Amino acid sequence: MSNGDNMKKMSEKASLEAFQGESMAHMKYNIYADVAEKEGYPNIARMFRAIAYAEQVHASNHARNLGYVGRTEENLSDAINGENFEVEEMYPSYMLTAEMQKEDGAKRAFHYALEAEKIHAKMYGDAKEMANEGRDAGDESIYICPICGYTHVGSEHDSCPVCGYKGEFRKF
Ligand code: FE2
Ligand code: FE2
Ligand code: FE2
């Protein structure tokens, strides 16, 4: 994970900006694909998904050059740190900002994310303990609420405990 340490500064800065841009394009195209699907454009949806994947390939190449990608134990540590930062500092302070500015939509989205990130940090922590011993995580199904991202391992809920959604969760 040391390529980023050796890269010349301007190339490193360019790689970071390229990684951020490609990451955002990947995410936006996947969201746009869902919209196209709902609006009855399956082939436009397919095009968005295909190109989103190409942007993921580009982002992966930049991430590797930046030294962001390690072995699974290292990647889990990075994921745990990221989720914990969101839980302990980022989303609590974002929620206060949205509260102060009476931005209800933003506040709700921050709350939804905060609740899920707590679970993500725990899941990654459990997985890291296993990976440290060279073992894979358990094979229980993982369910995601499509409205708020609430994440649950094991069996499906009747309704989402965070947002109240009663439809189908996405299963992994
Ligand atoms: Fe690209
Ligand atoms: Fe998360
Ligand atoms: Fe939910």
Side-chain angles (χ1 to χ4, degrees):
M1 291 179 66
S2 59
N3 281 352
D5 300 338
N6 305 325
M7 212 190 302
K8 290 201 169 62
K9 283 288 168 228
M10 283 309 294
S11 291
E12 186 180 358
K13 187 171 145 57
S15 295
L16 174 60
E17 287 181 10
F19 175 64
Q20 291 168 332
E22 297 284 2
S23 299
M24 198 176 287
H26 165 79
M27 187 61 73
K28 280 164 67 173
Y29 294 168
N30 276 326
I31 295 166
Y32 296 164
D34 290 347
V35 173
E37 194 87 60
K38 283 199 187 96
E39 292 180 350
Y41 300 113
N43 285 316
I44 296 175
R46 182 171 57 84
M47 188 180 72
F48 272 129
R49 290 211 174 91
I51 294 176
Y53 175 63
E55 312 310 5
Q56 179 182 333
V57 172
H58 298 160
S60 301
N61 290 334
H62 304 317
R64 272 191 207 92
N65 284 334
L66 286 160
Y68 289 175
V69 185
R71 290 174 47 78
T72 294
E73 302 101 287
E74 298 165 323
N75 296 339
L76 284 166
S77 292
D78 178 68
I80 292 164
N81 289 339
E83 299 285 346
N84 279 336
F85 168 73
E86 291 179 351
V87 169
E88 289 161 12
E89 298 191 43
M90 193 182 93
Y91 280 126
S93 70
Y94 285 3
M95 280 179 69
L96 288 174
T97 300
E99 169 116 43
M100 179 182 69
Q101 302 193 328
K102 298 193 171 32
E103 293 285 358
D104 294 340
K107 189 184 167 191
R108 187 181 315 112
F110 297 150
H111 163 66
Y112 284 171
L114 173 60
E115 292 309 309
E117 315 311 6
K118 291 175 188 169
I119 298 162
H120 300 168
K122 168 90 170 67
M123 288 169 70
Y124 284 143
D126 293 345
K128 181 159 167 57
E129 281 185 26
M130 307 287 280
N132 284 347
E133 297 168 10
R135 290 188 294 152
D136 193 7
D139 64 359
E140 303 89 349
S141 294
I142 302 168
Y143 294 92
I144 309 291
C145 173
I147 304 301
C148 75
Y150 172 73
T151 304
H152 183 75
V153 179
S155 55
E156 196 167 3
H157 277 263
D158 290 338
S159 67
C160 177
V162 174
C163 75
Y165 171 75
K166 289 185 172 52
E168 217 176 311
F169 280 44
R170 184 142 171 221
K171 183 181 173 186
F172 291 85

